Amino acid sequence: MKFSGMSRTAKGQLGRKLVSSAAIAAATIAAAPLAAQEAPAEPAAEDQGIVVTGLRRSETLQDTPAAITAFDSQAISNAGIERPADFIALTPNVNLVETQNAGNAFVIIRGITQNRNSEPSVAVIVDGVQQVNPAQFNQELFDIEQIEVLKGPQGGLYGRNAIGGAIIITSKAPTDEFAGNITAGVDNGFGYYLRGGISGPIAENVKFRIAGSWYDTNGFIDNTFLNEKADPVEDFSLRGNLLIEASDQLTFDLRASVNQLRTQGLYYNIVGDVNDIADVVVNNPGQNDRDIYNVALKVEYAGDNAVLTSISSYDTLKEVLTGDAFDFKPIPESFFFNLFEFLFGPGNGFDLNQSQYLNVKAFSQEVRLASPEDGRPFNWMVGGYLVDTTRFISTGNMIDTGNGVFPVFRSPSTNPLNPQFSFLSDGQENFAWALFANAGYEISPELRVDASLRYDRDRRRQTTLTPQGFLPNVPGVPQAQSGEVRTAVFDDWQPKITLTYEPSPDVTLYGGYSRGFRSGGFNQTGVGAEAVNNGIVGVGDIFRAETADTFEVGAKAQIGPVRLGAAAYTTKSENSYFFVFLAQSSTQNLGNIPETRINGFELEASAEILPDFDINAAIGVTDSEIKAFPDASVIGNEAPQISRYTMNLGAQYAGPISDTLDGLLRIDYRRIGRTWWEPFNTTSRDPVDLVDARAGVTFDNGVTITAFAQNLFNEIYNAEFSPGGFVFRARPRRYGFEVGFKF
């Protein structure tokens, strides 16, 4: 076994070969994780490194003029990457904020944030298909070939949601020979899981791959009132791929997937300081069901002078979320139940619970024409993209009668055990389209220039479906009307230009400018009036589009077995998001911060210090400052959800321990710096220190046995803080073992 988590997956790609098992294993610069990989069967002249495609062309990480963290299939296996949180934890200057419901997991990348009901901060592309709904992101990862995380605006390449970067996920492809893999494991949840895939030929030039995942756990966080776990999970995923190579030039790639998640939600605590830890005591365990279905077809024709690609995708997502409402305590102890205590004594009010229903359907289509992969010195691409989305959302509070909480869908509850207290619902019809062009030219063997330009236009139409009697009526504010239709158009140009200079094969210098754009949208009708009534500034029925202009310089170098990388950037963000929860209507709302300045840098290093033994270190620093806000007291504060820094340290041995046995011993340490959560900076989370570890053996018959621990030292902290004091507990220590087999 040879270590390569940051170095080599180019074998079999573009005819590049890796060094022999006797060569020094050098870690590729951008990937902080380390991994083991089988030594190549044939020697090669030099280590070409992992090949990435995030910039719409294939090249090694060393040669790519961007800050990219990449994980090949062996790195994914060795690091135990099972969910997005796992690879994000290994990426400097990137964080994932996990929240109370499965559809809300926010990627925070170089100070570009995300929130509930917002467009994502990164473009997520899975097998060439861009995800159209941020609620799709937080899913199990299985049978994955490669993951790439691009930092910095990539709007010129990937469009309106690539304002902070892009995440490229590639699953394993169908194979010419029948092959498969299976992994079974248990954890201290008590939980068990099963993952695997099979692949092979069906007929001449027709291949298939089917992969699936099942996870079932009782959970890890105690609900001390109900005397049960607050976070049980049942998660089922299945993915199928049919590849038809109709000719040497024409291929059809059909994919379909399903994800069904069943868990609980809304087990918040209310605290004054994000560092306060409290027991979960909700009297309603809640319900969080999410169902995602996708089917996509990629057709590619490779002509002599150009490659024509068409990608069509249809997605549906439904999510039901129920549970306790403010202040998330048992009925006798709740705030509203004792609201009139000063007049009538305790117990003269009523407690509340809540429900949210989300239903999204979307069709997307991309067509592009590009130069051949090996086109030099000039390469180009032109194309167009559209996405048509239908979205329905309802939220509301019900009176908690002690008989549980029941889902409310498109109409207010008529259940006497679940009387409706407040209710808002809206339907949205969104149509977005884009035109784009990219070009790159090698001025000389050492100097290259790349440029891209994309225009995105997003038309949004919202219909108020709330019955008139449930719409807020605030004196002095125009009354919202049931059936009211509002429209808004958000559009922008997204240029990107990069200059790359390679004075030697071991040094890459780059710099450039890019703009990112993220569409605005609608809060639920009536929340603007409610915000006025509660004295909240910056929140209305519409939130504006965000733009981010970034200048960046970077360098990559290899000095013997050591690889180094550095990047520095400055970003001006206009209309970034912040989150406000309005308890009266149980609505999740976005406001805008007119201007924020973000400065930061990343430093990374990795090396093989002994045969099959590698170490890595990385630090990412983000300094943010709010430059403009409706409330002058906020100016100068840190922007919400941003951590001041991340730090990663890692070490791994992956190699032989006998003639018939390979071993793996790996440890990863991550420190997340002080984190602010809302514009007023009323509280900030102390730095968090997390350690993960894995140890295993692989037998020569293909069987692998691995023990693992996540959050090894059981750091107890809150993963999220929302204005109003809402905190969500992070998962404590998880440990277990798994057995895998490849055939």
Side-chain angles (χ1 to χ4, degrees), residues 332-382:
E333 304 173 28
S334 67
F335 174 81
F336 288 113
F337 188 71
N338 296 293
L339 182 61
F340 305 107
E341 181 176 3
F342 69 100
L343 291 176
F344 309 111
N348 285 281
F350 52 87
D351 194 16
L352 297 175
N353 54 41
Q354 60 181 304
S355 177
Q356 176 176 290
Y357 173 62
L358 177 66
N359 188 324
V360 183
K361 299 176 181 178
F363 171 77
S364 65
Q365 176 68 52
E366 180 176 348
V367 178
R368 60 178 183 260
L369 187 67
S371 58
E373 180 67 39
D374 58 355
R376 289 176 180 271
F378 178 67
N379 68 282
W380 53 269
M381 178 185 295
V382 295

Side-chain angles (χ1 to χ4, degrees), residues 689-737:
D689 297 285
L690 301 172
V691 176
D692 296 340
R694 293 177 67 83
V697 292
T698 300
F699 299 88
D700 57 4
N701 62 359
V703 174
T704 299
I705 301 175
T706 306
F708 63 87
Q710 296 173 317
N711 192 2
L712 176 63
F713 297 108
N714 202 31
E715 179 93 347
I716 303 300
Y717 64 101
N718 289 316
E720 181 200 18
F721 177 92
S722 293
F726 300 79
V727 292
F728 168 54
R729 285 273 296 276
R731 190 171 67 183
R733 177 169 49 219
R734 174 178 179 252
Y735 59 89
F737 73 91

Side-chain angles (χ1 to χ4, degrees), residues 405-424:
V405 55
F406 304 91
V408 176
F409 297 96
R410 294 181 179 270
S411 302
S413 172
T414 58
N415 186 344
L417 300 178
N418 209 50
Q420 197 80 46
F421 178 75
S422 65
F423 182 81
L424 291 177

Side-chain angles (χ1 to χ4, degrees), residues 107-350:
V107 180
I108 315 300
I109 181 166
R110 285 186 169 183
I112 302 297
T113 63
Q114 183 182 342
N115 255 303
R116 290 169 176 79
N117 301 323
S118 79
E119 297 294 327
S121 57
V122 296
V124 180
I125 296 90
V126 181
D127 293 328
V129 179
Q130 185 163 341
Q131 290 187 349
V132 297
N133 190 329
Q136 296 172 271
F137 177 62
N138 199 26
Q139 299 185 50
E140 293 287 321
L141 295 171
F142 56 95
D143 209 43
I144 301 299
E145 179 65 30
Q146 188 158 301
I147 301 170
E148 303 170 32
V149 183
L150 286 74
K151 287 171 280 189
Q154 306 295 330
L157 296 173
Y158 293 108
R160 62 195 178 109
N161 291 332
I163 187 168
I167 296 174
I168 317 298
I169 300 174
T170 305
S171 64
K172 291 183 180 295
T175 55
D176 294 320
E177 304 282 341
F178 183 78
N181 66 87
I182 187 169
T183 299
V186 296
D187 65 26
N188 60 310
F190 174 78
Y192 63 93
Y193 56 89
L194 186 67
R195 299 189 299 270
I198 57 174
S199 176
I202 297 177
E204 186 177 0
N205 299 322
V206 180
K207 297 177 285 188
F208 81 97
R209 192 173 194 100
I210 299 175
S213 168
W214 169 258
Y215 180 45
D216 188 324
T217 180
N218 294 329
F220 302 86
I221 300 172
D222 290 324
N223 181 331
T224 57
F225 179 77
L226 294 177
N227 196 30
E228 63 184 30
K229 297 297 183 181
D231 59 333
V233 171
E234 292 182 4
D235 189 292
F236 168 73
S237 296
L238 186 66
R239 183 173 62 242
N241 180 197
L242 183 66
L243 181 62
I244 302 173
E245 297 169 331
S247 70
D248 293 340
Q249 296 177 305
L250 180 63
T251 60
F252 297 87
D253 191 345
L254 178 64
R255 299 173 184 265
S257 64
V258 57
N259 173 251
Q260 296 177 333
L261 174 69
R262 303 293 181 262
T263 183
Q264 295 178 176
L266 299 173
Y267 43 94
Y268 281 108
N269 292 118
I270 304 298
V271 299
D273 188 323
V274 66
N275 299 294
D276 293 340
I277 305 297
D279 289 335
V280 173
V281 293
V282 295
N283 61 283
N284 290 298
Q287 171 186 353
N288 187 186
D289 297 349
R290 184 187 65 179
D291 296 277
I292 303 173
Y293 297 89
N294 167 261
V295 60
L297 175 64
K298 177 181 178 182
V299 181
E300 186 167 277
Y301 179 79
D304 294 335
N305 299 310
V307 179
L308 177 64
T309 304
S310 168
I311 301 175
S312 308
S313 179
Y314 179 71
D315 300 85
T316 67
L317 181 144
K318 292 182 181 179
E319 185 170 19
V320 176
L321 179 66
T322 72
D324 257 15
F326 184 89
D327 58 347
F328 305 96
K329 292 183 177 180
I331 294 175
E333 304 173 28
S334 67
F335 174 81
F336 288 113
F337 188 71
N338 296 293
L339 182 61
F340 305 107
E341 181 176 3
F342 69 100
L343 291 176
F344 309 111
N348 285 281
F350 52 87

Side-chain angles (χ1 to χ4, degrees), residues 520-570:
F522 297 99
N523 291 319
Q524 288 187 254
T525 306
V527 301
E530 188 178 345
V532 171
N533 193 41
N534 287 276
I536 298 172
V537 298
V539 176
D541 285 359
I542 295 178
F543 55 92
R544 294 184 291 276
E546 180 184 1
T547 59
D549 293 282
T550 298
F551 291 91
E552 178 177 356
V553 294
K556 302 178 181 183
Q558 180 173 347
I559 305 172
V562 179
R563 296 216 178 186
L564 304 171
Y569 59 90
T570 180

